[in-house]
């Protein structure tokens, strides 16, 4: 009996201990640290890798709503490889708001006066520190991402417009009331300049007097053929005729989730054909104009690069030759970007990684009728045209 009582007591103690152990006070329902990136798979083109970049992004330090660290995380999850944070040099409403909030704690309670760079004729912010916040986030996260140091210089839309200065060493001290002088300071640092949203707040994308001058002086290296979801068809021709690089940038001020992902789109980007993800290789590719732009399902660029891209992305196999000259091809889009091909009035939607079988030549004579020759409806080349591409067979 005594042994039974000892056993019963021991059992009760053990059970209550087990119960106490079994109910933890906090339990994780999900591992939030493993947020998944949208990987954008693109082919190798002419021996180059396709890197995905956005060279025009704002943070809460100018007039955006996300801080630099948030921009890095966002770009990583969106599938990008290289970004430039390009806060406005002249007008930074974010700082002004911040000044308003902290004003009671300084200057004996007197409101602090905020002066933008433009009005003060000197920079009152440390732009390098903005870039450094993004660099710190890349290092903290361990993302294999490249950050380019840059800023946006903005003056009146009708006369000057907006320009991004990229690949800089020191962002402070670039300002000058004369924008042309500021451009020359960018060039002294080995930086490049791109003309942003060329028809913004204007009815035309034609050059102004200021543009004529700075373009002819060789100060402009590239132009945004697309900014966010706005495409500037005339700019494709300008880039080809004047040897300028085409860019597709978001100019994001809000969140890309809201603007792109929630609309079911990949983010607007510049696709860069480069050997490796280093500042030198990316800059070299940009200066040699090895880019195409992507926006809202469209690819925009020089015809030769678009054709190379399409042929690298699409695997085309002749699967059967039947009676009456009928040729059957299997087409597989091996990239993450859907392609919309057209032959006559027939449309062929090439969704990523979903092969389709197509038939050509039946009851028609000659080799021409059997060729996989298409107009690519979701590509734009110069003069607001779609390219015609003959797809390489069994490559
Ligand atoms: Zn702008
Ligand atoms: Zn901007």
């Amino acid at each position: 009996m005594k042994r039974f009582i000892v056993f019963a007591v021991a059992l009760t103690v053990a059970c209550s201990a087990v119960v106490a152990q079994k109910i933890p006070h906090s339990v994780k329902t999900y591992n939030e640290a493993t947020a998944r990136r949208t990987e954008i798979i693109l082919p190798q083109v002419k021996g180059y890798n396709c890197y995905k970049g956005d060279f025009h992004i704002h943070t809460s330090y100018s007039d955006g709503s996300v801080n630099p660290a948030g921009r890095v995380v966002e770009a990583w999850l969106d599938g990008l490889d290289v970004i430039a944070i390009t806060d406005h040099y002249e007008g930074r409403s974010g700082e002004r708001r911040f000044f308003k909030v902290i004003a009671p704690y300084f200057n004996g309670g007197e409101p602090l006066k905020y002066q933008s760079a433009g009005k003060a004729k000197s920079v009152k912010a440390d732009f390098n520190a903005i870039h450094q916040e993004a660099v710190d986030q890349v290092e903290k996260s361990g993302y294999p991402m490249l950050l380019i140091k840059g800023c946006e210089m903005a003056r009146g839309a009708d006369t000057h417009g907006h320009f991004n200065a990229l690949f800089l060493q020191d962002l402070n001290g670039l300002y000058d009331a004369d924008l042309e002088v500021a451009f020359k300071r960018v060039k002294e640092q080995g930086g490049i300049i791109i003309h942003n949203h060329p028809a913004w707040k204007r009815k035309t994308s034609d050059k102004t007097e200021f543009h004529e001058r700075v373009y002819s002086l060789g100060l402009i290296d590239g132009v945004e053929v697309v900014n966010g979801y706005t495409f500037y068809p005339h700019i494709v021709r300008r880039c080809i005729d004047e040897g300028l690089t085409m860019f597709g940038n978001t100019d994001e001020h809000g969140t890309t989730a809201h603007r792109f992902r929630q609309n079911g789109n990949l983010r607007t980007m510049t696709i860069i054909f480069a050997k490796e993800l280093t500042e030198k290789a990316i800059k070299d590719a940009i200066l040699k104009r090895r880019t195409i732009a992507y926006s809202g399902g469209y690819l925009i660029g020089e015809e030769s690069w678009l054709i190379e891209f399409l042929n690298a992305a699409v695997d085309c196999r002749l699967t059967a030759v039947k009676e009456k000259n009928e040729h059957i091809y299997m087409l597989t889009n091996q990239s993450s970007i859907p392609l919309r091909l057209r032959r006559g009035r027939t449309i062929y939607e090439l969704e990523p990684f979903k092969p389709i079988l197509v038939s050509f030549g039946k009851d028609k004579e000659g080799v021409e009728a059997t060729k996989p020759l298409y107009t690519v409806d979701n590509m734009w080349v110069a003069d607001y045209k779609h390219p015609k591409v003959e797809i390489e067979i069994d490559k």
Side-chain angles (χ1 to χ4, degrees):
M1 182 65 180
K2 197 178 166 191
R3 270 166 71 187
F4 174 73
I5 290 167
V6 170
F7 175 72
V9 168
L11 188 69
T12 310
V13 170
C15 283
S16 53
V18 165
V19 168
Q21 264 180 2
K22 269 195 173 166
I23 305 177
H25 288 280
S26 79
V27 176
K28 282 281 184 192
T29 58
Y30 198 81
N31 181 1
E32 67 214 284
T34 57
R36 287 169 290 269
R37 164 179 163 97
T38 300
E39 193 59 55
I40 303 165
I41 297 171
L42 301 177
Q44 274 224 329
V45 181
K46 286 179 90 175
Y48 294 109
N49 296 317
C50 289
Y51 293 108
K52 287 93 46 177
D54 186 357
F55 300 92
H56 191 167
I57 307 169
H58 295 278
T59 78
S60 45
Y61 285 111
S62 62
D63 53 352
S65 61
V66 175
N67 69 15
R71 286 297 185 217
V72 166
V73 176
E74 181 185 63
W76 169 256
L77 295 175
D78 287 343
L80 297 191
D81 304 304
V82 47
I83 61 165
I85 303 266
T86 53
D87 274 318
H88 287 291
Y89 214 72
E90 287 84 0
R92 303 186 299 280
S93 57
E95 281 173 14
R96 204 157 50 233
R97 283 197 301 275
F98 183 74
F99 264 65
K100 217 171 171 181
V101 172
I102 63 166
Y105 300 98
F106 291 95
N107 208 21
E110 287 294 309
L112 286 169
K113 269 209 174 102
Y114 172 81
Q115 288 184 308
S116 76
K119 281 174 190 144
K121 292 195 168 55
S122 65
V123 178
K124 299 289 184 193
D126 181 0
F127 283 91
N128 297 324
I130 300 173
H131 175 79
Q132 191 57 43
E133 277 191 30
V135 172
D136 291 345
Q137 182 62 42
V138 166
E139 283 170 8
K140 187 176 147 202
S141 313
Y143 297 146
M145 258 181 82
L146 183 66
L147 287 170
I148 304 300
K149 205 182 238 191
C151 64
E152 180 172 23
M153 297 177 162
R155 306 289 162 90
D158 287 334
T159 53
H160 295 67
H162 295 190
F163 300 83
N164 273 5
L166 303 167
F167 297 96
L168 294 164
Q169 321 299 319
D170 181 9
L171 293 171
N172 301 333
L174 292 174
Y175 179 80
D176 195 280
D178 182 344
L179 194 54
E180 195 180 311
V181 174
F183 283 1
K184 285 174 182 162
R185 288 183 184 157
V186 170
K187 294 288 163 175
E188 279 162 20
Q189 285 190 34
I192 71 160
I193 297 171
I194 65 174
H195 186 182
N196 300 340
H197 45 70
W200 182 68
K201 285 196 173 175
R202 304 167 69 209
K203 288 193 173 69
T204 170
S205 57
D206 291 349
K207 287 178 188 167
T208 65
E209 218 174 283
F210 173 78
H211 298 150
E212 293 287 1
R213 192 167 68 250
V214 291
Y215 273 74
S216 67
L217 287 171
L219 293 169
I220 307 301
D221 301 287
V223 194
E224 284 180 345
V225 289
V226 65
N227 174 289
Y229 286 121
T230 309
F231 168 42
Y232 305 105
H234 288 282
I235 301 303
V236 181
R237 168 57 60 203
R238 180 188 299 174
C239 286
I240 291 167
D241 288 351
E242 301 185 27
L244 303 162
T245 306
M246 296 188 216
F247 284 88
N249 295 321
T250 60
D251 196 1
E252 191 55 64
H253 286 74
T255 68
T256 59
H258 184 253
R259 199 157 157 228
F260 298 99
R261 211 175 317 142
Q262 297 307 105
N263 282 320
N265 291 324
L266 294 174
R267 163 178 182 156
T268 295
M269 60 189 155
T270 305
I271 297 169
I272 307 125
F273 305 112
K275 290 277 183 195
E276 54 181 14
L277 189 62
T278 60
E279 187 165 323
K280 190 173 176 291
I282 296 294
K283 190 179 175 186
D284 181 63
I286 286 172
L287 289 173
K288 293 194 173 129
R289 302 164 56 216
R290 296 197 304 264
T291 66
I292 53 177
Y294 169 89
S295 170
Y298 289 88
L299 288 160
I300 303 148
E302 234 173 286
E303 188 159 12
S304 59
W305 278 112
L306 289 175
I307 291 173
E308 292 282 356
F309 179 89
L310 188 99
N311 263 314
V314 178
D315 182 71
C316 174
R317 290 171 200 211
L318 180 66
T319 59
V321 179
K322 307 200 323 193
E323 288 171 9
K324 300 176 185 169
N325 201 31
E326 187 181 10
H327 285 56
I328 311 282
Y329 298 104
M330 183 170 80
L331 300 178
T332 312
N333 176 3
Q334 294 174 330
S335 83
S336 296
I337 296 177
L339 297 163
R340 198 161 55 248
L341 309 180
R342 187 167 49 79
R343 184 156 161 131
R345 284 191 300 182
T346 312
I347 290 169
Y348 303 88
E349 300 281 358
L350 265 187
E351 287 181 42
F353 312 104
K354 291 182 178 171
I356 60 168
L357 289 171
V358 292
S359 155
F360 287 133
K362 192 179 179 190
D363 296 326
K364 289 181 188 135
E365 287 191 4
V367 183
E368 286 301 313
T370 69
K371 279 185 179 171
L373 179 71
Y374 297 95
T375 298
V376 190
D377 272 0
N378 69 324
M379 284 183 170
W380 290 110
V381 293
D383 310 321
Y384 204 40
K385 285 181 180 151
H386 301 301
K388 265 203 171 66
V389 185
E390 186 180 333
I391 298 184
E392 291 166 20
I393 308 159
D394 295 329
K395 61 176 180 289

